[in-house]
């Protein structure tokens, strides 16, 4: 297991119902992008350490869609969405829906910034339709999933 030296920042905006996540990786943008778009790699790192991920559909291209299931303690949780814009090594815009709350759709934008020397800054924003929805999203345990997921991503990036 690799221990990350990078902080995952999770900020909520007081003016707009969004969550912003910022994280740096010791890998170039093309490797970070590939880990977000290759279903085999994606399944290895997304979510908390105590979960397993099964990818059912993953067409990461402009106009494509995805569905994956996380499995924890025998329970399955489905997530799905559509890719609105995908630009290799720099941008993914998608929707995100937890199937347990199908009315709660987030619009997500992931931007990869090349920091040079084989390093990348990832900035992800998730915009929902209400402050209550945003606060429920944050209270759902997403913080643990994001932090542990990015620690797992560090490990995937060192192997791939």
């Amino acid at each position: 297991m690799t221990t990350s030296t990078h902080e995952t920042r999770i900020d909520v905006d007081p003016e707009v119902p969004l969550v912003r996540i910022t994280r740096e990786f010791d890998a170039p943008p093309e490797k970070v992008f590939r880990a977000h778009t290759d279903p085999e790699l994606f399944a290895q790192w997304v979510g908390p350490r105590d979960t397993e991920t099964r990818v059912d559909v993953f067409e990461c291209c402009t106009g494509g869609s995805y569905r994956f299931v996380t499995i924890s303690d025998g329970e399955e949780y489905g997530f799905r969405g559509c890719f609105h814009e995908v630009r290799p090594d720099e941008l993914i815009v998608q929707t995100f829906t937890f199937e347990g709350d199908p009315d709660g759709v987030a619009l997500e934008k992931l931007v990869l910034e090349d920091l040079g020397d084989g390093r990348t800054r990832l900035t992800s924003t998730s915009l929902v339709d209400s402050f209550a929805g945003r606060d429920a999203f944050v209270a759902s345990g997403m913080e643990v999933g994001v932090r542990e997921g990015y620690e797992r991503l560090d490990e995937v990036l060192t192997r791939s």
Side-chain angles (χ1 to χ4, degrees), residues 1 3 14 17 23 26 37 41 52 73 79 84 87 91 99 106 119 131 139 141 143:
M1 181 168 81
T3 303
R23 176 68 147 69
D26 293 326
T37 60
L41 294 177
E52 176 186 332
D73 297 326
F79 302 89
H84 291 262
R87 290 187 215 142
L91 176 75
E99 291 177 352
R119 297 177 56 247
F131 287 98
E143 183 175 344

Side-chain angles (χ1 to χ4, degrees), residues 3-135:
T3 303
S4 171
T5 57
H6 298 294
E7 176 188 5
T8 300
R9 289 194 44 157
I10 301 174
D11 299 304
V12 294
D13 190 306
E15 307 284 325
V16 179
L18 70 76
V19 176
R20 179 173 292 108
I21 300 166
T22 309
R23 176 68 147 69
E24 292 183 9
F25 294 94
D26 293 326
E30 55 271 10
K31 283 183 81 172
V32 178
F33 181 81
R34 183 170 173 253
H36 280 81
T37 60
D38 178 314
E40 279 187 38
L41 294 177
F42 180 79
Q44 292 175 36
W45 67 264
V46 72
R49 290 191 180 277
D50 65 350
T51 63
E52 176 186 332
T53 299
R54 180 185 74 234
V55 176
D56 293 335
V57 176
F58 210 85
E59 304 161 329
C60 190
C61 60
T62 300
S65 64
Y66 70 91
R67 181 178 191 272
F68 65 93
V69 176
T70 59
I71 304 155
S72 178
D73 297 326
E75 296 290 322
E76 294 191 359
Y77 304 92
F79 302 89
R80 61 185 164 82
C82 298
F83 294 105
H84 291 262
E85 183 70 28
V86 178
R87 290 187 215 142
D89 308 335
E90 65 179 68
L91 176 75
I92 299 172
V93 178
Q94 66 187 39
T95 57
F96 177 86
T97 301
F98 167 51
E99 291 177 352
D101 180 19
D103 293 339
V105 179
L107 178 60
E108 299 187 331
K109 180 179 180 181
L110 183 139
V111 176
L112 300 175
E113 177 186 355
D114 188 345
L115 299 176
D117 295 325
R119 297 177 56 247
T120 302
R121 177 178 300 120
L122 174 151
T123 303
S124 174
T125 55
S126 296
L127 177 66
V128 297
D129 66 352
S130 70
F131 287 98
R134 183 214 46 210
D135 295 344

